[in-house]
Amino acid sequence: MIPRYSRVAAIDDNEEHLKAIAWGLSQAGFCPVPFHFDDGDLLPAPEAPITGMRIVFTDIHMANGNLANPKMHAGIIIQCLKKIGASGPYALIFWSRFPGEVEQIKRLIEADGPGTGLTPPVVYGSIDKGMVLGADGSGPFDAEKLRKLIGAQMEKFPTLATAAHWEMRAAEAAAKTTDTVFLLTQAQISEQRTKTWESLLAYLAAEAVGPEVAPRNIDAALDSALLPILEDQLSFVGRTSATPIPETHPLRIALSVSPRPQRPDGVSFARLNASYLIDEAGAASPKGEFERGMVIQLPGSFINSGPFIRLFGKERSELIHAEFLLKNKAVTPEQLSQLTLHVVELGPECDHVQGKVSTHRYLLALLVPSALFSLCYSKNYNNLSVIDVGLMAFKEAPQEEFHLLVSTRCYMTLPPSSALGGTCRFRLRRMSIEEVVHHYTTHARRPGVMRFNS
Amino acid sequence: MAKRIPFRVQSHVLKLLGDQLIGHDRLAVFELVKNSYDADARTVTVTLDLLAPVPKISVRDDGIGMSADTIENAWLQVGTDSKRNVQTRKRSPLGRLPLGEKGVGRLAVQKLGDTIRLVTRQEGQPEHAFKISWGALIDSARYLGDGLAVEVVERASPEEFEFESGTLVEITDLHHTDWSRREIRDLYRLVTSLCNPFDDKSSFKVDLDLPGHEAAVADLPTLKDMLASAVWEFNFQIEENGLIKWEYRFNPPKFKSLTPRNQGPVIEKLALIDPDPDDVRPRTNPDPGTGMCEEDEHIFVRPADLEGIGPISGSIYAFHRRDEILKASGAPQQLKKWLEQQTGVRVYRDNIRVFNYGEAGEDWLGLDARRINRPAGKLGAQSVIAQISLDLAKSTDLREKTNREGFDENAAFRRLKRISLSVFDLFQRLHSEDRSAIDRALKGDEDSPPVQAALERLEALGKKHNLVKEVKPVIQAIKAELKSFQDVMVASGLAGMNLALIFHEIVHSVDRIQRRLQAGVDPDEVRKEVEHLRKLMDTFKPLLQRDPARSVPADDLVRRAIGFHADRFARHEVVVSNWTADPEKRHDFSVSVPRGLVVGALSNVIDNAIYWTRFRRERDGSGSAAILVLTSWDEETGGMIAICDNGPGFQLPRDFLGKPFSSTRAGGMGLGLFYCKAVMESIGGSLEVVDASELNEVVDLPAAYDGTAVVFRFQKK
């Protein structure tokens, strides 16, 4: 079952019906987030899409005047879902007086939603308003029945429930972090408790990122301050779960496949890596080229320019050959043109956190179409100076796969605020950066030992 | 260790195939008639002789007959590819393509009797004959291939076909010989419909001989008799290029002032109705840009829609089932009853019937269900005798099921259904005006049934059919709604509004529910009808129980209404210009209105504009679809919001604006503009539909908007 106290959105144009569903949800143990569809506007208007809304209840006919126009009604639901921010897996439960319309509206959302940028629901359900509000929607409200109907719906999505439980555990890790810090304050007098707590948080924030940086972005400073405890708590997520998963649970059935569950056909290794190793959305970071781990495509105007030659000592073609390509392989000009030069920002983490980066360090990198990968150095060739971050494919063209090669011996530096004007492509995730740093430092510390062999 | 084990089939399979091949024993006759067609027969005589010493059913034709070789290698071979084989599948001297293809149809005769005698002769050849007792044949060998044999006699002196060629199949040891009058009539109905009775030029004719039982069918009207009583006739041909040529005739009886009306022939593109939601499948190849599947999105039939189907032609004869009209049409007394057996939409391929389309209870186009949701036409399956004709050589993607229960439900069949329904939709739109004329003529003769009494009858029927749970709450709701409708109308002075027509539809809807309950139809049908009724009431409920008026800027009304369709503009590539959001072109004014009502009304018109601009772009094959929304303020008369488009222009007479259930839009319910008009009148404003160019008197309208302008006028306060 969807975990108790989960947030559940509810949309209706009829305020009485909205109150009814919100009341029913709260009685069933969930946290309702009601939205009134007010002739085209959602009230209160979500300031930004709400992350992690896994269950949405919606009325079907929210516009006056033409109940027999399913395309329009489906279009309105799609718009509402996009405003609320339904993304990732979520269940859409129709809350309507017309259960006979559900299948048609569902088909229209499936057909029309993706073209508008909507992530369609992973599952659907429905509750007939007539069963709790009377046939014309204005009868006596049967709250107990609604509570039961909601409960029955929430039982229907076991896999979504498992994901929601995981999210709940992750949220608990954050809550425990807050508790741990708060419990350090031992003030006896109530008036002092908040004050002591505030002082402690301020102290930790300043310690984490420095007293100059912390006031500039208190949230970020607190994130850094609490991260060590949170990371530890997160590493224990799930280990303490006592909720037994029944034999009939779809995930248990999927896990029982011998010898092991198979990767779904539509999910390539490259897309998996693109989710685990890099963060495509990270390209939009406000820090841009100065974000730690940012992978930046070098601008055409920069390549082979005077500064380029000064920084790397070679022209593009020569540089690529020297740093990344195997010596015994012939490379055509067309193949060479498909290799794109990038850099990876690799400033010290501590300086980044405290906003003290005095010089941004960028390692040279090359994005190589997988078809040309055999031309390049990789760990298969025991070349320690080039790291293959992994096979990856990007969201907008999942069929095109690439390797990102990072050179640990070829880099450039730039002072803060002196941007290259390149294109931020994605950000390496924390563990990927750690791996690059590990290779980089290992390579840099490589001693030149003279050794004689017989 | 591996061992090869024979895979064997017991002879009993012949019996199983025969039993299960067809759903109905009378269809076995059809299988034999199809063989006669394939043999180039011009006339087939089916005889049911129950008074003979040995009762029998025979099928005798004047076709080319069979040679000894054909008997051995085709008739006596189950599953033969003699008609299926592409190389041998060619047209006969009469230009016919073989209908049979699976080579198993003749086994179905076992449904009728246990013994079959076949006599055949080709011109100038000896006569051949054989007899099969199915039970004895099957018992003679345990497995197929273990020596099943039939003795074929060759007669130099023909006994059956002395001077001519042909084939006789005679079935005896009938499974039942006590045919009731109803069963004989059913056989008559079947036999007379096997070849296309609508096509006088057909070279194939099937007669039924009923020695001693002629009286059973003597009083039955012929199809011609029945068609003569039809009030409407609609003929059409859809060519492979997607164009339809149609002709419409309204032949009312001499009743009051009804006058005949003919229209056509017209050649045009056929507008498609939306696909049946039950037939929409997950879109496998959506357009990457829009996520839409082109198949579902275009407005007119395209040549690609007819691939694997070929040209479609047909005719629709529609009846008005009221006794007064039938009587005035000179229809025989029993016509109404007989219509119940004959109505439906049949399919013919090369003029031979495809079963079981058009049989009683087989509403394959879902006309009854559509009638619920689109009451404008008011033509259910029981009001039409229609036929759809296909070309066998070109309808290659329409494959008949082995059990003779229609075509495989593949993509081609779904397209055929959608196109056929679109033709019905076109006809229904054409006929609605004349239908109204009949209704008006009848009106003086009968009042609408009182709502209260109708509801009580409905409640009792719901109880009887165990649908209390579905029906009772709805009835209570309808009662309450109707009361509040009436109260509000009286109190608010809205009685002058033409909502009586909506009441009329409500009563009709209640009536239909009753009829369905009485006929013991599927409860799902009743639920659909109930849902339609509730939707209808919910559409108009806000109009009467409206929210309090509030002052709303005109641009806010427009913004909200446009917002309802925001995603559709991009998807359909419709350009929307909103002058109310343009500081240089807007005319600011506020109106005091129930906002939801007006936004809903504006949204309806925008929805229409999206359709009609796309309609014209696709019809003309060029141009872009564009909608303009503007406001204007006049110190004397007040403000207006106009929605202009570059569609084909308003096609109904202007006075139809106040009439519900009239629409020229394919699949349209005809409530949108009626609702808008009702909304505007309820707030003291008005609604006008004009040529967009007429707005030039008020605003400088770009010439591109040469379609319709729907103008919402608000009273100055």
Side-chain angles (χ1 to χ4, degrees):
Chain A
M1 181 166 175
I2 299 294
R4 286 284 180 101
Y5 316 121
S6 294
R7 291 174 308 167
V8 177
I11 314 163
D12 206 313
D13 65 312
N14 183 316
E15 284 185 277
E16 292 307 312
H17 294 182
L18 186 62
K19 280 180 199 162
I21 189 68
W23 173 255
L25 283 166
S26 65
Q27 291 302 295
F30 300 96
C31 303
V33 185
F35 293 99
H36 179 220
F37 183 83
D38 186 34
D39 298 332
D41 289 342
L42 272 187
L43 298 179
E47 286 175 11
I50 308 163
T51 307
M53 193 63 83
R54 301 292 174 216
I55 308 279
V56 180
F57 281 74
T58 183
D59 185 18
I60 290 180
H61 304 102
M62 295 192 282
N64 269 323
N66 195 349
L67 266 63
N69 188 346
K71 281 189 177 175
M72 185 184 76
H73 295 293
I76 287 172
I77 294 170
I78 289 169
Q79 287 184 36
C80 290
L81 291 175
K82 286 197 294 184
K83 281 180 191 163
I84 289 175
S87 60
Y90 67 99
L92 182 62
I93 302 173
F94 295 107
W95 153 247
S96 169
R97 289 179 56 217
F98 297 94
E101 297 275 286
V102 164
E103 278 305 308
Q104 187 174 14
I105 295 293
K106 183 176 140 185
R107 284 195 194 96
L108 286 168
I109 290 173
E110 288 292 313
D112 298 347
T116 67
L118 175 78
T119 304
V122 69
V123 280
Y124 293 88
S126 74
I127 290 180
D128 180 358
K129 279 185 184 178
M131 294 178 80
V132 291
L133 294 170
D136 68 345
S138 58
F141 172 41
D142 189 343
E144 177 56 19
K145 188 158 196 177
L146 179 58
R147 191 184 66 79
K148 284 183 181 160
L149 288 170
I150 290 171
Q153 289 292 319
M154 297 300 194
E155 294 280 0
K156 281 172 54 183
F157 322 119
T159 307
L160 193 63
T162 302
H165 274 287
W166 181 85
E167 289 170 351
M168 197 68 104
R169 289 196 296 275
E172 277 169 20
K176 281 182 183 170
T177 304
T178 302
D179 294 352
T180 303
V181 172
F182 177 75
L183 290 174
L184 290 170
T185 63
Q186 298 289 326
Q188 297 294 316
I189 304 162
S190 63
E191 289 75 23
Q192 284 183 358
R193 273 181 219 139
T194 306
K195 197 142 194 71
T196 313
W197 187 31
E198 286 162 356
S199 302
L200 179 58
L201 289 176
Y203 170 75
L204 292 173
E207 286 298 306
V209 301
E212 294 82 17
V213 176
R216 279 186 241 147
N217 188 340
I218 294 174
D219 283 345
L222 274 176
D223 287 353
S224 296
L226 300 175
L227 190 64
I229 303 175
L230 175 66
E231 277 188 330
D232 178 67
Q233 291 287 349
L234 281 173
S235 67
F236 279 88
V237 160
R239 294 190 195 177
T240 54
S241 172
T243 316
I245 293 190
E247 292 299 321
T248 53
H249 192 288
L251 278 182
R252 192 179 282 289
I253 293 167
L255 275 166
S256 67
V257 173
S258 180
R260 61 196 300 165
Q262 295 296 302
R263 178 172 46 88
D265 287 342
V267 183
S268 67
F269 286 121
R271 285 297 298 146
L272 270 175
N273 282 339
S275 298
Y276 269 77
L277 304 176
I278 66 170
D279 174 20
E280 289 184 70
S285 163
K287 290 172 76 177
E289 293 183 13
F290 307 118
E291 180 71 80
R292 189 166 192 257
M294 187 67 81
V295 178
I296 305 145
Q297 185 174 349
L298 294 178
S301 57
F302 175 68
I303 291 172
N304 290 347
S305 65
F308 181 87
I309 303 292
R310 273 198 298 282
L311 285 164
F312 295 113
K314 296 180 177 69
E315 289 194 335
R316 175 183 177 272
S317 167
E318 201 185 345
L319 182 65
I320 291 173
H321 271 96
E323 289 302 316
F324 299 104
L325 299 185
L326 290 166
K327 302 291 176 267
N328 57 350
K329 299 268 183 177
V331 181
T332 66
E334 193 197 341
Q335 287 172 330
L336 198 61
S337 69
Q338 294 176 49
L339 308 173
T340 45
L341 276 177
H342 290 66
V343 288
V344 182
E345 203 288 341
L346 201 71
E349 185 180 16
C350 182
D351 288 354
H352 265 283
V353 168
Q354 300 202 358
K356 290 181 182 169
V357 181
S358 56
T359 312
H360 285 280
R361 184 172 313 190
Y362 297 94
L363 299 190
L364 186 69
L366 189 72
L367 199 61
V368 183
S370 59
L372 303 182
F373 188 51
S374 61
L375 302 174
C376 303
Y377 281 121
S378 73
K379 65 180 177 187
N380 295 342
Y381 295 94
N382 201 24
N383 186 320
L384 297 177
S385 68
V386 174
I387 311 155
D388 174 16
V389 173
L391 179 71
M392 58 188 71
F394 305 110
K395 200 175 171 185
E396 69 269 21
Q399 306 305 325
E400 296 172 21
E401 298 183 346
F402 299 89
H403 283 264
L404 181 70
L405 302 183
V406 181
S407 167
T408 58
R409 62 174 192 173
C410 202
Y411 61 90
M412 64 178 199
T413 57
L414 287 174
S417 78
S418 176
L420 277 171
T423 308
C424 295
R425 296 290 305 275
F426 49 86
R427 184 183 64 81
L428 294 186
R429 288 197 192 274
R430 189 180 169 87
M431 294 308 286
S432 303
I433 300 171
E434 294 306 321
E435 190 185 30
V436 172
V437 170
H438 171 77
H439 277 275
Y440 171 64
T441 50
T442 304
H443 188 78
R445 290 175 57 206
R446 183 169 48 107
V449 177
M450 282 184 70
R451 183 170 288 116
F452 305 96
N453 293 311
S454 58
Chain B
M1 189 181 126
K3 186 179 165 190
R4 287 185 71 79
I5 298 174
F7 185 94
R8 292 187 294 179
V9 180
Q10 290 204 358
S11 306
H12 184 66
V13 78
L14 293 176
K15 176 84 179 145
L16 294 177
L17 271 174
D19 273 350
Q20 292 173 14
L21 194 61
I22 51 172
H24 203 288
D25 55 1
R26 285 188 299 276
L27 281 177
V29 173
F30 180 46
E31 293 301 321
L32 297 175
V33 170
K34 283 209 294 194
N35 283 346
S36 298
Y37 176 89
D38 289 348
D40 255 2
R42 290 174 186 277
T43 304
V44 182
T45 305
V46 178
T47 306
L48 173 67
D49 192 351
L50 298 171
L51 300 178
V54 180
K56 63 187 177 188
I57 297 170
S58 64
V59 176
R60 185 188 175 109
D61 71 44
D62 59 357
I64 56 171
M66 285 185 280
S67 65
D69 185 58
T70 309
I71 292 173
E72 185 178 345
N73 295 310
W75 214 101
L76 291 175
Q77 265 192 31
V78 173
T80 176
D81 64 355
S82 63
K83 296 178 183 176
R84 185 170 63 233
N85 195 323
V86 178
Q87 276 78 39
T88 56
R89 194 175 160 82
K90 54 188 177 197
R91 290 193 183 275
S92 69
L94 287 182
R96 297 177 188 168
L97 278 174
L99 295 171
E101 51 178 30
K102 297 186 173 71
V104 293
R106 58 198 170 280
L107 292 178
V109 296
Q110 294 175 77
K111 278 258 194 191
L112 292 169
D114 196 44
T115 302
I116 177 171
R117 183 172 77 95
L118 184 144
V119 184
T120 184
R121 185 185 168 216
Q122 289 194 323
E123 196 179 343
Q125 298 295 315
E127 187 176 85
H128 293 88
F130 63 84
K131 189 171 180 178
I132 298 173
S133 284
W134 292 104
L137 180 76
I138 288 164
D139 290 346
S140 71
R142 187 167 171 76
Y143 296 104
L144 291 179
D146 282 0
L148 285 183
V150 172
E151 190 177 294
V152 180
V153 179
E154 183 175 302
R155 293 195 283 249
S157 306
E159 292 175 8
E160 287 287 347
F161 296 97
E162 241 180 298
F163 307 106
E164 74 281 21
S165 63
T167 300
L168 166 71
V169 177
E170 194 174 86
I171 300 148
T172 51
D173 291 332
L174 300 181
H175 293 316
H176 80 284
T177 51
D178 52 343
W179 285 57
S180 66
R181 182 180 151 93
R182 178 191 296 275
E183 285 171 319
I184 291 171
R185 282 169 166 247
D186 284 347
L187 180 67
Y188 174 82
R189 194 170 57 80
L190 174 95
V191 168
T192 52
S193 73
L194 291 180
C195 59
N196 193 346
F198 299 87
D199 185 353
D200 295 335
K201 298 187 288 294
S202 174
S203 61
F204 188 62
K205 189 163 157 274
V206 186
D207 294 329
L208 177 65
D209 201 3
L210 297 162
H213 286 85
E214 292 84 352
V217 297
D219 61 334
L220 293 179
T222 63
L223 186 72
K224 265 194 175 156
D225 293 336
M226 277 186 280
L227 298 186
S229 306
V231 178
W232 291 276
E233 183 183 344
F234 182 78
N235 294 298
F236 68 94
Q237 290 109 42
I238 304 171
E239 299 300 333
E240 285 172 277
N241 60 12
L243 291 178
I244 184 171
K245 177 182 176 187
W246 58 261
E247 217 170 341
Y248 168 88
R249 283 197 200 109
F250 174 50
N251 303 312
K254 285 184 180 151
F255 186 78
K256 301 201 172 167
S257 57
L258 295 173
T259 50
R261 182 171 79 90
N262 292 347
Q263 199 174 335
V266 171
I267 298 175
E268 62 181 2
K269 288 184 177 176
L270 173 63
L272 284 166
I273 56 164
D274 281 345
D276 184 335
D278 290 339
D279 283 339
V280 173
R281 299 190 163 212
R283 293 168 185 184
T284 48
N285 292 311
D287 183 310
T290 63
M292 296 303 292
C293 188
E294 204 192 345
E295 187 186 338
D296 297 336
E297 285 297 304
H298 54 278
I299 286 183
F300 295 103
V301 173
R302 303 164 308 167
D305 295 326
L306 293 160
E307 276 173 18
I309 296 175
I312 304 170
S313 61
S315 40
I316 301 169
Y317 291 85
F319 298 83
H320 201 295
R321 293 170 63 91
R322 284 278 292 265
D323 289 338
E324 301 92 313
I325 301 297
L326 286 175
K327 205 173 159 189
S329 304
Q333 281 291 314
Q334 281 196 314
L335 183 73
K336 193 169 180 179
K337 198 174 167 200
W338 188 238
L339 270 179
E340 269 155 33
Q341 298 297 317
Q342 289 283 359
T343 47
V345 184
R346 300 173 191 173
V347 176
Y348 289 89
R349 186 140 76 159
D350 275 10
N351 274 332
I352 298 297
R353 180 101 183 255
V354 177
F355 274 96
N356 51 355
Y357 301 122
E359 287 296 279
E362 175 54 44
D363 181 15
W364 65 284
L365 287 177
L367 292 179
D368 287 339
R370 284 186 63 75
R371 187 174 161 222
I372 296 170
N373 296 320
R374 300 276 184 271
K378 295 192 173 77
L379 279 174
Q382 289 202 338
S383 297
V384 296
I385 296 179
Q387 60 99 5
I388 284 169
S389 289
L390 301 165
D391 182 328
L392 180 60
K394 291 184 172 169
S395 55
T396 48
D397 287 354
L398 295 170
R399 292 181 206 96
E400 278 185 69
K401 294 177 189 166
T402 309
N403 64 5
R404 306 297 170 227
E405 287 182 2
F407 294 118
D408 287 341
E409 305 221 346
N410 57 16
F413 178 66
R414 287 194 297 276
R415 278 186 274 125
L416 173 69
K417 259 175 81 172
R418 188 176 173 200
I419 294 168
S420 304
L421 265 176
S422 303
V423 173
F424 269 87
D425 190 74
L426 169 64
F427 163 62
Q428 291 182 352
R429 277 180 276 130
L430 286 166
H431 105 300
S432 69
E433 192 185 331
D434 298 320
R435 170 104 201 180
S436 303
I438 293 187
D439 288 345
R440 279 195 301 275
L442 285 169
K443 217 172 192 175
D445 299 336
E446 191 210 39
D447 292 331
S448 293
V451 180
Q452 201 61 28
L455 290 172
E456 274 158 23
R457 284 201 302 277
L458 185 59
E459 195 168 348
L461 278 167
K463 207 178 255 177
K464 188 176 157 195
H465 293 274
N466 290 327
L467 284 169
V468 176
K469 206 171 136 198
E470 283 82 11
V471 173
K472 196 170 179 181
V474 176
I475 290 170
Q476 283 170 349
I478 295 169
K479 281 181 185 170
E481 296 282 348
L482 284 177
K483 181 156 184 349
S484 100
F485 269 37
Q486 282 156 348
D487 292 349
V488 175
M489 282 176 77
V490 172
S492 60
L494 292 174
M497 262 165 49
N498 210 0
L499 286 179
L501 290 162
I502 298 300
F503 283 107
H504 197 70
E505 175 54 26
I506 289 171
V507 174
H508 270 304
S509 193
V510 170
D511 271 356
R512 282 199 298 269
I513 298 172
Q514 283 177 47
R515 279 202 298 275
R516 279 160 194 279
L517 284 170
Q518 269 161 343
V521 296
D522 182 355
D524 267 354
E525 293 280 299
V526 177
R527 284 187 194 108
K528 275 185 195 164
E529 184 79 66
V530 165
E531 201 149 293
H532 161 67
L533 184 54
R534 286 171 48 190
K535 265 198 273 183
L536 188 65
M537 295 186 69
D538 268 25
T539 295
F540 287 91
K541 193 162 78 172
L543 191 61
L544 297 171
Q545 298 175 336
R546 63 190 188 205
D547 294 336
R550 57 177 123 177
S551 177
V552 196
D555 65 304
D556 186 54
L557 293 171
V558 173
R559 176 188 67 81
R560 288 169 191 274
I562 287 180
F564 284 180
H565 305 278
D567 292 329
R568 296 176 63 205
F569 298 126
R571 188 164 72 242
H572 296 310
E573 294 177 342
V574 175
V575 179
V576 181
S577 300
N578 179 6
W579 282 7
T580 72
D582 183 339
E584 290 182 10
K585 292 179 173 163
R586 64 201 272 176
H587 290 251
D588 288 328
F589 66 92
S590 290
V591 287
S592 181
V593 292
R595 189 181 63 196
L597 279 183
V598 180
V599 170
L602 288 168
S603 158
N604 268 335
V605 175
I606 291 170
D607 181 65
N608 273 342
I610 292 174
Y611 176 83
W612 288 114
T613 53
R614 290 174 59 218
F615 178 98
R616 183 168 172 197
R617 181 180 61 193
E618 205 174 311
R619 186 193 67 185
D620 299 350
S622 62
S624 58
I627 298 171
L628 168 68
V629 188
L630 56 90
T631 47
S632 176
W633 175 257
D634 184 282
E635 278 303 326
E636 282 179 23
T637 55
M640 74 162 196
I641 297 174
I643 296 166
C644 315
D645 65 40
N646 66 348
F650 194 67
Q651 294 166 3
L652 281 173
R654 297 283 158 89
D655 60 345
F656 268 63
L657 192 59
K659 192 169 175 294
F661 309 118
S662 296
S663 177
T664 51
R665 176 172 167 175
M669 195 170 174
L671 274 183
L673 282 179
F674 173 75
Y675 173 83
C676 297
K677 188 164 185 279
V679 166
M680 292 310 289
E681 286 176 1
S682 76
I683 59 172
S686 65
L687 184 85
E688 289 167 30
V689 179
V690 298
D691 290 335
S693 58
E694 291 178 37
L695 282 189
N696 276 320
E697 293 168 16
V698 187
V699 289
D700 192 11
L701 197 69
Y705 299 99
D706 56 356
T708 303
V710 180
V711 183
F712 292 75
R713 290 195 188 281
F714 298 90
Q715 204 174 37
K716 190 185 171 194
K717 284 185 180 165

